[in-house]
Amino acid sequence: MGEWFKGLSVMEQIYFWLGIAATLFLIVQIILLCCSSFGGDTDIDGDGDIDVDGDSGVSIFTVKSITAFFSVGSWTGLLVCALVPANLQWVSIFPALVLGAAALAIVVVALRAMQKLQCNGAVQIEKLIGQTATVYVSVPPSRSGRGKITLTAQGRFMELDAVTDGEERLAVDEVVEIVSTENECTVVKRNK
């Protein structure tokens, strides 16, 4: 291998070392991506809630996309240098840039597609207004106590606390409509 490497031109050696470094870095990134939550979201609960969003990979110039650019571009440049005469090796720059840019674009598109697959599992109680639900534990009249309702919304079955402004108790298995939300509790009325 030493003789083969000595036989390479300066441009081919540059492509070779760039390709080796970028490919090794790309392999390390793939291992980190598979084995950890590198670049994900972190939720910390304590006296308050703090949501920290990491690199979602949506911008064009991320470490992943630049690494793909250099990896594919370097190996393409080395291959073209091997195919053309020594006095035309400068031509290898164009296909290396084009295929490197294509690899960068593919990585960006793939990362954006993966971003769309993410799902926030938190229930957005404000979006339940207008939904119908079933009384699970009877709801006392005039907000004199709390009952419970069940419904399927936002892709999940949920049980929520409920109060009513009505003058009559809402019985078990009665169908109700969610009118508003207050302090993680739903305000419901009899569905007519």
PDB file of all heavy atoms in Angstrom, residues 126-139:
ATOM      1  N   GLU A 126     -56.190  22.376  25.431  1.00  0.00           N
ATOM      2  CA  GLU A 126     -56.925  23.485  24.814  1.00  0.00           C
ATOM      3  C   GLU A 126     -57.593  23.064  23.507  1.00  0.00           C
ATOM      4  O   GLU A 126     -58.605  23.630  23.107  1.00  0.00           O
ATOM      5  CB  GLU A 126     -55.993  24.676  24.528  1.00  0.00           C
ATOM      6  CG  GLU A 126     -55.186  25.164  25.705  1.00  0.00           C
ATOM      7  CD  GLU A 126     -53.921  24.338  25.938  1.00  0.00           C
ATOM      8  OE1 GLU A 126     -53.313  23.841  24.975  1.00  0.00           O
ATOM      9  OE2 GLU A 126     -53.564  24.164  27.114  1.00  0.00           O
ATOM     10  N   LYS A 127     -57.030  22.072  22.834  1.00  0.00           N
ATOM     11  CA  LYS A 127     -57.569  21.633  21.550  1.00  0.00           C
ATOM     12  C   LYS A 127     -58.750  20.681  21.713  1.00  0.00           C
ATOM     13  O   LYS A 127     -59.305  20.224  20.727  1.00  0.00           O
ATOM     14  CB  LYS A 127     -56.478  20.968  20.726  1.00  0.00           C
ATOM     15  CG  LYS A 127     -55.413  21.938  20.262  1.00  0.00           C
ATOM     16  CD  LYS A 127     -54.445  21.292  19.323  1.00  0.00           C
ATOM     17  CE  LYS A 127     -53.446  22.329  18.818  1.00  0.00           C
ATOM     18  NZ  LYS A 127     -52.520  21.746  17.858  1.00  0.00           N
ATOM     19  N   LEU A 128     -59.137  20.396  22.942  1.00  0.00           N
ATOM     20  CA  LEU A 128     -60.257  19.489  23.187  1.00  0.00           C
ATOM     21  C   LEU A 128     -61.605  20.210  23.172  1.00  0.00           C
ATOM     22  O   LEU A 128     -62.651  19.558  23.182  1.00  0.00           O
ATOM     23  CB  LEU A 128     -60.076  18.780  24.525  1.00  0.00           C
ATOM     24  CG  LEU A 128     -58.845  17.875  24.643  1.00  0.00           C
ATOM     25  CD1 LEU A 128     -58.755  17.291  26.035  1.00  0.00           C
ATOM     26  CD2 LEU A 128     -58.875  16.792  23.592  1.00  0.00           C
ATOM     27  N   ILE A 129     -61.595  21.543  23.170  1.00  0.00           N
ATOM     28  CA  ILE A 129     -62.841  22.315  23.210  1.00  0.00           C
ATOM     29  C   ILE A 129     -63.686  21.967  21.980  1.00  0.00           C
ATOM     30  O   ILE A 129     -63.208  21.957  20.854  1.00  0.00           O
ATOM     31  CB  ILE A 129     -62.551  23.826  23.284  1.00  0.00           C
ATOM     32  CG1 ILE A 129     -61.821  24.136  24.584  1.00  0.00           C
ATOM     33  CG2 ILE A 129     -63.829  24.636  23.154  1.00  0.00           C
ATOM     34  CD1 ILE A 129     -61.307  25.539  24.709  1.00  0.00           C
ATOM     35  N   GLY A 130     -64.961  21.639  22.235  1.00  0.00           N
ATOM     36  CA  GLY A 130     -65.881  21.264  21.171  1.00  0.00           C
ATOM     37  C   GLY A 130     -65.994  19.758  20.984  1.00  0.00           C
ATOM     38  O   GLY A 130     -66.892  19.289  20.294  1.00  0.00           O
ATOM     39  N   GLN A 131     -65.098  18.987  21.599  1.00  0.00           N
ATOM     40  CA  GLN A 131     -65.135  17.530  21.487  1.00  0.00           C
ATOM     41  C   GLN A 131     -66.240  16.967  22.386  1.00  0.00           C
ATOM     42  O   GLN A 131     -66.588  17.566  23.402  1.00  0.00           O
ATOM     43  CB  GLN A 131     -63.795  16.922  21.931  1.00  0.00           C
ATOM     44  CG  GLN A 131     -62.623  17.340  21.094  1.00  0.00           C
ATOM     45  CD  GLN A 131     -62.520  16.518  19.822  1.00  0.00           C
ATOM     46  OE1 GLN A 131     -62.919  15.368  19.784  1.00  0.00           O
ATOM     47  NE2 GLN A 131     -61.995  17.136  18.778  1.00  0.00           N
ATOM     48  N   THR A 132     -66.763  15.825  22.028  1.00  0.00           N
ATOM     49  CA  THR A 132     -67.732  15.149  22.886  1.00  0.00           C
ATOM     50  C   THR A 132     -67.011  14.076  23.689  1.00  0.00           C
ATOM     51  O   THR A 132     -66.009  13.510  23.236  1.00  0.00           O
ATOM     52  CB  THR A 132     -68.864  14.502  22.068  1.00  0.00           C
ATOM     53  OG1 THR A 132     -68.295  13.601  21.130  1.00  0.00           O
ATOM     54  CG2 THR A 132     -69.698  15.552  21.357  1.00  0.00           C
ATOM     55  N   ALA A 133     -67.523  13.829  24.884  1.00  0.00           N
ATOM     56  CA  ALA A 133     -66.921  12.856  25.791  1.00  0.00           C
ATOM     57  C   ALA A 133     -68.040  12.126  26.528  1.00  0.00           C
ATOM     58  O   ALA A 133     -69.213  12.508  26.439  1.00  0.00           O
ATOM     59  CB  ALA A 133     -66.000  13.564  26.783  1.00  0.00           C
ATOM     60  N   THR A 134     -67.655  11.095  27.260  1.00  0.00           N
ATOM     61  CA  THR A 134     -68.608  10.320  28.048  1.00  0.00           C
ATOM     62  C   THR A 134     -68.271  10.492  29.521  1.00  0.00           C
ATOM     63  O   THR A 134     -67.105  10.413  29.904  1.00  0.00           O
ATOM     64  CB  THR A 134     -68.521   8.828  27.669  1.00  0.00           C
ATOM     65  OG1 THR A 134     -68.735   8.704  26.270  1.00  0.00           O
ATOM     66  CG2 THR A 134     -69.570   8.022  28.406  1.00  0.00           C
ATOM     67  N   VAL A 135     -69.297  10.712  30.352  1.00  0.00           N
ATOM     68  CA  VAL A 135     -69.071  10.868  31.790  1.00  0.00           C
ATOM     69  C   VAL A 135     -68.683   9.506  32.359  1.00  0.00           C
ATOM     70  O   VAL A 135     -69.367   8.509  32.152  1.00  0.00           O
ATOM     71  CB  VAL A 135     -70.336  11.427  32.491  1.00  0.00           C
ATOM     72  CG1 VAL A 135     -70.121  11.492  33.992  1.00  0.00           C
ATOM     73  CG2 VAL A 135     -70.679  12.793  31.933  1.00  0.00           C
ATOM     74  N   TYR A 136     -67.576   9.478  33.087  1.00  0.00           N
ATOM     75  CA  TYR A 136     -67.054   8.252  33.686  1.00  0.00           C
ATOM     76  C   TYR A 136     -67.370   8.220  35.184  1.00  0.00           C
ATOM     77  O   TYR A 136     -67.765   7.211  35.727  1.00  0.00           O
ATOM     78  CB  TYR A 136     -65.551   8.187  33.424  1.00  0.00           C
ATOM     79  CG  TYR A 136     -64.852   6.999  34.014  1.00  0.00           C
ATOM     80  CD1 TYR A 136     -65.163   5.714  33.601  1.00  0.00           C
ATOM     81  CD2 TYR A 136     -63.860   7.161  34.969  1.00  0.00           C
ATOM     82  CE1 TYR A 136     -64.515   4.621  34.131  1.00  0.00           C
ATOM     83  CE2 TYR A 136     -63.205   6.085  35.511  1.00  0.00           C
ATOM     84  CZ  TYR A 136     -63.528   4.806  35.083  1.00  0.00           C
ATOM     85  OH  TYR A 136     -62.882   3.730  35.618  1.00  0.00           O
ATOM     86  N   VAL A 137     -67.183   9.355  35.852  1.00  0.00           N
ATOM     87  CA  VAL A 137     -67.589   9.560  37.242  1.00  0.00           C
ATOM     88  C   VAL A 137     -68.512  10.766  37.222  1.00  0.00           C
ATOM     89  O   VAL A 137     -68.153  11.815  36.682  1.00  0.00           O
ATOM     90  CB  VAL A 137     -66.371   9.819  38.164  1.00  0.00           C
ATOM     91  CG1 VAL A 137     -66.801  10.156  39.570  1.00  0.00           C
ATOM     92  CG2 VAL A 137     -65.418   8.631  38.152  1.00  0.00           C
ATOM     93  N   SER A 138     -69.709  10.628  37.796  1.00  0.00           N
ATOM     94  CA  SER A 138     -70.723  11.684  37.679  1.00  0.00           C
ATOM     95  C   SER A 138     -70.158  13.047  38.082  1.00  0.00           C
ATOM     96  O   SER A 138     -69.363  13.166  39.000  1.00  0.00           O
ATOM     97  CB  SER A 138     -71.964  11.348  38.493  1.00  0.00           C
ATOM     98  OG  SER A 138     -71.647  11.323  39.861  1.00  0.00           O
ATOM     99  N   VAL A 139     -70.620  14.071  37.362  1.00  0.00           N
ATOM    100  CA  VAL A 139     -70.128  15.431  37.559  1.00  0.00           C
ATOM    101  C   VAL A 139     -71.165  16.203  38.358  1.00  0.00           C
ATOM    102  O   VAL A 139     -72.301  16.387  37.918  1.00  0.00           O
ATOM    103  CB  VAL A 139     -69.873  16.119  36.196  1.00  0.00           C
ATOM    104  CG1 VAL A 139     -69.325  17.526  36.401  1.00  0.00           C
ATOM    105  CG2 VAL A 139     -68.925  15.292  35.329  1.00  0.00           C
TER     106      VAL A 139
END
